[in-house]
Amino acid sequence: MKRVALLGATGSIGRQAIEIVEAHPELELCAAASGSTPLDDVDAPLKQVGGDVTDLLERARPDVVLNAVVGFAGIHATLWALESGVDLALANKESLVAGGELALAAMARGGGRILPVDSEHSALYQCLESRRLEQVEHLVLTGSGGPFRGRTRDELDSVTPEEALAHPTWRMGPKITVDSATLANKGLELIEAHYLFDIPYDRIEIILQPTSIVHSLVRFRDGASLAHVGYPDMRVPISYALTYPERATTPVPPLDLTALTLQFEAPDVETFPMLTLAREAGERGGTYPCAFNAANEVAVTAFLEERLPFLGIADVVEDVLGRSDGAAAESVDELLEADRRARALAEEGLRVA
Ligand SMILES: NC(=O)c1ccc[n+]([C@@H]2O[C@H](COP(=O)([O-])OP(=O)(O)OC[C@H]3O[C@@H](n4cnc5c(N)ncnc54)[C@H](OP(=O)(O)O)[C@@H]3O)[C@@H](O)[C@H]2O)c1
């Protein structure tokens, strides 16, 4: 029996995780948390709406924490799991992007382990498993390109939140759906992959595969590439992380290979500058990734509330990165302070935008 603590239980990942837990008698939900939505219909002995989740986790004594909170708010659960030596099934990429160094240090101290839930990183994890990194030439992260792939900047000038939320292949929460439309999501995933797999940025490529069938691939030094392929359905990586290393059954059908045509294309980084901004923030290190993430969260909220045009999201993030010192955070308090400062800069940027 594996005891699962589910944070972000009311969200897109959270709901699908509950489906997986209910389908497998060897999984048991020992705790559930949300930000503000009531958890009346969630069957768990310990539940919490809002507030600090670390007390809940201490009481729940889970075998695995599924962090499906959206945004930097997930940082405390990520650090708690890694420090406590508990498996961390990580959907909340923002915590690893913003707090990568601290998270890795907590993992080294606590002996915890990260099982990625992001479909691309789950794919890479599976392609890499038990292979040494020196055999790897490149990691290749795939992306659909979002709803605005192929558009020019002029065509993006007046797009609405409704249009940005119409993702072609995935049904997800609003924040990650907007991130997919700006390509910030691929930028966050680039930094996430750097920390997860301890690989330099110049060995991580991004390629678009519009139907989201190829979830990512690893190029090895002997010329072979291993890819993870399947229909876009988050129940597969959620199930993989929760039942690792058993690979339990899911309702997802096998790929009909005869019905497939796969196309790939390079991302248009001129039209979608968030990818380049993320790469620069990652390469500069320190708290630049934290500032990238914080500014993006503020800008996405403003876009969804129609206080900022779509193209303004990248402008706000670029401005915040230009005004941040990026000094490394030596403690959680310093990281929280870097996040707070970047948010304040972003709010300032919104006022002049
Ligand atoms: N959805 C996907 O297919 C997908 C794929 C890959 C990665 N991810 C990642 O998974 C995470 C969740 O995405 P999502 O699409 O499931 O988001 P979502 O549908 O917006 O759900 C977010 C969840 O986080 C909870 N939450 C928000 N603030 C919180 C706080 N301060 N404390 C505790 N819980 C809080 C929300 O609770 P309330 O309902 O109370 O607001 C909700 O349960 C994100 O990091 C995203 O990048 C998602």
Side-chain angles (χ1 to χ4, degrees), residues 109-188:
R109 279 192 304 270
R113 156 174 83 168
I114 304 177
L115 298 161
V117 171
D118 231 348
S119 58
E120 296 78 1
H121 304 74
S122 176
L124 292 170
Y125 188 88
Q126 293 174 55
C127 294
L128 280 170
E129 209 171 13
S130 79
R131 294 182 180 87
R132 295 192 316 278
L133 211 56
E134 72 230 37
Q135 301 173 357
V136 173
E137 205 67 55
H138 282 99
L139 303 182
V140 185
L141 280 169
T142 54
S144 69
F148 302 142
R149 183 180 58 87
R151 296 216 195 169
T152 62
R153 284 186 74 77
D154 280 352
E155 289 167 335
L156 293 177
D157 210 21
S158 56
V159 291
T160 62
E162 196 184 0
E163 290 172 275
L165 290 173
H167 196 279
T169 53
W170 296 99
R171 296 285 156 265
M172 310 179 286
K175 192 262 180 183
I176 183 176
T177 307
V178 174
D179 285 349
S180 300
T182 60
L183 294 198
N185 184 48
K186 226 30 70 182
L188 293 168

Side-chain angles (χ1 to χ4, degrees), residues 7-14 16 33-38 49-51 53 67-71 73 91-94 117-120 170-176 179 185 189 234:
L7 311 173
T10 48
S12 159
I13 293 288
Q16 294 176 83
S34 68
S36 57
T37 308
V49 179
V53 290
N67 189 353
V69 171
V70 61
N92 176 254
K93 63 191 93 188
E94 295 94 338
V117 171
D118 231 348
S119 58
E120 296 78 1
W170 296 99
R171 296 285 156 265
M172 310 179 286
K175 192 262 180 183
I176 183 176
D179 285 349
N185 184 48
E189 289 178 5
M234 286 307 294

Side-chain angles (χ1 to χ4, degrees), residues 2 24 26 122-123 125-127 129 228-229 236-237 239-250:
K2 223 187 236 186
H24 293 288
E26 69 275 22
S122 176
Y125 188 88
Q126 293 174 55
C127 294
E129 209 171 13
H228 180 290
V229 299
V236 176
S239 173
Y240 183 82
L242 291 184
T243 66
Y244 183 84
E246 288 307 317
R247 204 185 271 280
T249 55
T250 74

